[in-house]
mmCIF file of all heavy atoms in Angstrom:
data_model
loop_
_atom_site.group_PDB
_atom_site.id
_atom_site.type_symbol
_atom_site.label_atom_id
_atom_site.label_comp_id
_atom_site.label_asym_id
_atom_site.label_seq_id
_atom_site.Cartn_x
_atom_site.Cartn_y
_atom_site.Cartn_z
ATOM 1 N N ARG A 53 63.436 29.634 18.784
ATOM 2 C CA ARG A 53 63.637 30.048 17.390
ATOM 3 C C ARG A 53 62.329 30.543 16.779
ATOM 4 O O ARG A 53 62.353 31.513 15.996
ATOM 5 C CB ARG A 53 64.185 28.879 16.582
ATOM 6 C CG ARG A 53 65.660 28.584 16.891
ATOM 7 C CD ARG A 53 66.196 27.479 15.998
ATOM 8 N NE ARG A 53 67.630 27.286 16.209
ATOM 9 C CZ ARG A 53 68.356 26.352 15.613
ATOM 10 N NH1 ARG A 53 67.789 25.547 14.723
ATOM 11 N NH2 ARG A 53 69.653 26.249 15.854
ATOM 12 N N MET A 54 61.206 29.923 17.136
ATOM 13 C CA MET A 54 59.931 30.383 16.614
ATOM 14 C C MET A 54 59.599 31.768 17.177
ATOM 15 O O MET A 54 59.015 32.617 16.474
ATOM 16 C CB MET A 54 58.840 29.378 16.954
ATOM 17 C CG MET A 54 58.944 28.051 16.221
ATOM 18 S SD MET A 54 57.596 26.909 16.597
ATOM 19 C CE MET A 54 56.203 27.718 15.786
ATOM 20 N N MET A 55 59.951 32.009 18.427
ATOM 21 C CA MET A 55 59.753 33.328 19.015
ATOM 22 C C MET A 55 60.537 34.388 18.269
ATOM 23 O O MET A 55 60.037 35.459 17.908
ATOM 24 C CB MET A 55 60.162 33.348 20.486
ATOM 25 C CG MET A 55 59.211 32.674 21.433
ATOM 26 S SD MET A 55 59.816 32.759 23.151
ATOM 27 C CE MET A 55 59.862 34.529 23.410
ATOM 28 N N LEU A 56 61.824 34.099 18.064
ATOM 29 C CA LEU A 56 62.713 35.070 17.425
ATOM 30 C C LEU A 56 62.371 35.282 15.948
ATOM 31 O O LEU A 56 62.654 36.352 15.392
ATOM 32 C CB LEU A 56 64.169 34.608 17.562
ATOM 33 C CG LEU A 56 64.707 34.553 19.004
ATOM 34 C CD1 LEU A 56 66.103 33.935 19.017
ATOM 35 C CD2 LEU A 56 64.742 35.947 19.612
ATOM 36 N N HIS A 57 61.748 34.285 15.326
ATOM 37 C CA HIS A 57 61.413 34.394 13.913
ATOM 38 C C HIS A 57 60.358 35.469 13.680
ATOM 39 O O HIS A 57 60.461 36.259 12.721
ATOM 40 C CB HIS A 57 60.912 33.058 13.369
ATOM 41 C CG HIS A 57 60.455 33.111 11.938
ATOM 42 N ND1 HIS A 57 61.337 33.254 10.887
ATOM 43 C CD2 HIS A 57 59.209 33.072 11.403
ATOM 44 C CE1 HIS A 57 60.648 33.295 9.758
ATOM 45 N NE2 HIS A 57 59.367 33.182 10.038
ATOM 46 N N ASP A 58 59.358 35.509 14.551
ATOM 47 C CA ASP A 58 58.290 36.521 14.413
ATOM 48 C C ASP A 58 58.593 37.666 15.387
ATOM 49 O O ASP A 58 58.065 37.739 16.488
ATOM 50 C CB ASP A 58 56.935 35.897 14.706
ATOM 51 C CG ASP A 58 55.781 36.782 14.263
ATOM 52 O OD1 ASP A 58 56.009 37.987 14.051
ATOM 53 O OD2 ASP A 58 54.648 36.265 14.134
ATOM 54 N N LYS A 59 59.421 38.581 14.958
ATOM 55 C CA LYS A 59 59.891 39.654 15.848
ATOM 56 C C LYS A 59 58.780 40.620 16.233
ATOM 57 O O LYS A 59 58.785 41.175 17.336
ATOM 58 C CB LYS A 59 61.049 40.404 15.179
ATOM 59 C CG LYS A 59 62.307 39.572 15.043
ATOM 60 C CD LYS A 59 63.430 40.362 14.405
ATOM 61 C CE LYS A 59 64.723 39.553 14.393
ATOM 62 N NZ LYS A 59 64.597 38.267 13.693
ATOM 63 N N ALA A 60 57.827 40.850 15.355
ATOM 64 C CA ALA A 60 56.740 41.757 15.658
ATOM 65 C C ALA A 60 55.912 41.252 16.845
ATOM 66 O O ALA A 60 55.600 42.018 17.778
ATOM 67 C CB ALA A 60 55.839 41.954 14.437
ATOM 68 N N LYS A 61 55.584 39.960 16.827
ATOM 69 C CA LYS A 61 54.816 39.407 17.932
ATOM 70 C C LYS A 61 55.674 39.288 19.177
ATOM 71 O O LYS A 61 55.159 39.416 20.309
ATOM 72 C CB LYS A 61 54.233 38.056 17.543
ATOM 73 C CG LYS A 61 53.025 38.182 16.615
ATOM 74 C CD LYS A 61 52.308 36.869 16.445
ATOM 75 C CE LYS A 61 50.982 37.081 15.697
ATOM 76 N NZ LYS A 61 51.139 37.770 14.418
ATOM 77 N N LEU A 62 56.962 39.045 19.028
ATOM 78 C CA LEU A 62 57.867 39.007 20.173
ATOM 79 C C LEU A 62 57.849 40.358 20.891
ATOM 80 O O LEU A 62 57.722 40.414 22.120
ATOM 81 C CB LEU A 62 59.286 38.659 19.711
ATOM 82 C CG LEU A 62 60.394 38.801 20.765
ATOM 83 C CD1 LEU A 62 60.177 37.838 21.927
ATOM 84 C CD2 LEU A 62 61.768 38.589 20.128
ATOM 85 N N ILE A 63 57.969 41.411 20.102
ATOM 86 C CA ILE A 63 57.997 42.759 20.691
ATOM 87 C C ILE A 63 56.624 43.092 21.319
ATOM 88 O O ILE A 63 56.524 43.603 22.423
ATOM 89 C CB ILE A 63 58.387 43.795 19.634
ATOM 90 C CG1 ILE A 63 59.840 43.567 19.194
ATOM 91 C CG2 ILE A 63 58.224 45.221 20.183
ATOM 92 C CD1 ILE A 63 60.253 44.439 18.029
ATOM 93 N N GLY A 64 55.535 42.788 20.579
ATOM 94 C CA GLY A 64 54.213 43.108 21.059
ATOM 95 C C GLY A 64 53.872 42.385 22.356
ATOM 96 O O GLY A 64 53.360 42.980 23.306
ATOM 97 N N THR A 65 54.175 41.078 22.416
ATOM 98 C CA THR A 65 53.870 40.307 23.623
ATOM 99 C C THR A 65 54.716 40.773 24.791
ATOM 100 O O THR A 65 54.212 40.895 25.935
ATOM 101 C CB THR A 65 54.104 38.814 23.363
ATOM 102 O OG1 THR A 65 53.395 38.407 22.193
ATOM 103 C CG2 THR A 65 53.643 37.967 24.536
ATOM 104 N N THR A 66 56.008 41.017 24.535
ATOM 105 C CA THR A 66 56.889 41.473 25.605
ATOM 106 C C THR A 66 56.430 42.827 26.136
ATOM 107 O O THR A 66 56.428 43.048 27.357
ATOM 108 C CB THR A 66 58.332 41.623 25.097
ATOM 109 O OG1 THR A 66 58.764 40.353 24.598
ATOM 110 C CG2 THR A 66 59.262 42.059 26.219
#
Side-chain angles (χ1 to χ4, degrees):
R53 286 184 175 178
M54 291 182 70
M55 285 180 62
L56 295 174
H57 176 72
D58 193 343
K59 293 181 174 56
K61 284 191 171 53
L62 171 63
I63 294 173
T65 307
T66 302

